[in-house]
Amino acid sequence: MKLILASHGDLCTGMLSSYQMIAGVNKDIAVISLTDAGIEDFVRRFNTMLDEFVRTHEVLIITDIKGGTPYNEAFNYFLRKKEKVRVISGMNLPMVIETGLNLQTKSLGDLYSLALDIGRSGIEGAEEIETQTDDIEF
């Protein structure tokens, strides 16, 4: 199984760097950025990477935003290779960490579901919790 993080600019590279700080190096995670070189350059590099990976692996692609070029190109590839590729938008660090840690133990379908579940549960607002000072132990 391979995981590709795809984004506008360096978001995906930063996600991989943070993943590696927390979980270590994972040779099955790759990144690809849409840069100032333009869309045509991105499409060429992305399709080359995917063609290489799907020869021997299933691939989960996590992108930054739905409707952006990385997502649209990933979705187009998914439509051609549904049996080997899944696509998720809304990349966040909890999603990347859990997905990366489970690349070799879960099927593509299970990994896809895990990424969606963890990604959603990783979004939470901070709220003040009232505590009773009588119950605080030191």
Side-chain angles (χ1 to χ4, degrees):
M1 184 82 60
K2 295 285 187 182
L3 173 61
I4 297 175
L5 307 177
S7 70
H8 296 80
D10 294 328
L11 177 65
C12 60
T13 305
M15 283 285 179
L16 180 59
S17 176
S18 295
Y19 173 92
Q20 290 173 339
M21 176 185 269
I22 294 165
V25 174
N26 187 329
K27 65 180 177 49
D28 294 316
I29 302 175
V31 298
I32 187 159
S33 300
L34 174 60
T35 66
D36 290 337
I39 293 173
E40 287 180 26
D41 173 72
F42 174 81
V43 171
R44 180 187 49 75
R45 290 183 297 114
F46 193 42
N47 282 301
T48 299
M49 177 187 283
L50 281 163
D51 288 344
E52 180 181 323
F53 286 172
V54 298
R55 279 189 210 124
T56 55
H57 297 89
E58 293 178 314
V59 180
L60 178 63
I61 305 165
I62 302 177
T63 70
D64 51 0
I65 55 174
K66 187 175 182 177
T69 298
Y71 175 85
N72 292 342
E73 291 305 317
F75 185 73
N76 286 336
Y77 201 92
F78 161 73
L79 292 176
R80 294 191 308 271
K81 301 280 186 175
K82 291 179 185 177
E83 69 284 353
K84 300 278 273 190
V85 175
R86 292 289 181 280
V87 179
I88 296 174
S89 65
M91 180 187 326
N92 63 40
L93 190 55
M95 174 192 294
V96 171
I97 291 169
E98 286 300 320
T99 304
L101 291 174
N102 286 282
L103 281 173
Q104 301 311 316
T105 60
K106 297 202 178 292
S107 69
L108 181 58
D110 288 344
L111 200 60
Y112 174 80
S113 295
L114 174 69
L116 288 172
D117 291 343
I118 295 297
R120 289 178 184 129
S121 69
I123 299 170
E124 187 174 308
E127 297 180 21
E128 184 177 357
I129 299 173
E130 291 186 31
T131 60
Q132 295 177 350
T133 56
D134 301 317
D135 295 332
I136 296 177
E137 295 181 23
F138 295 96

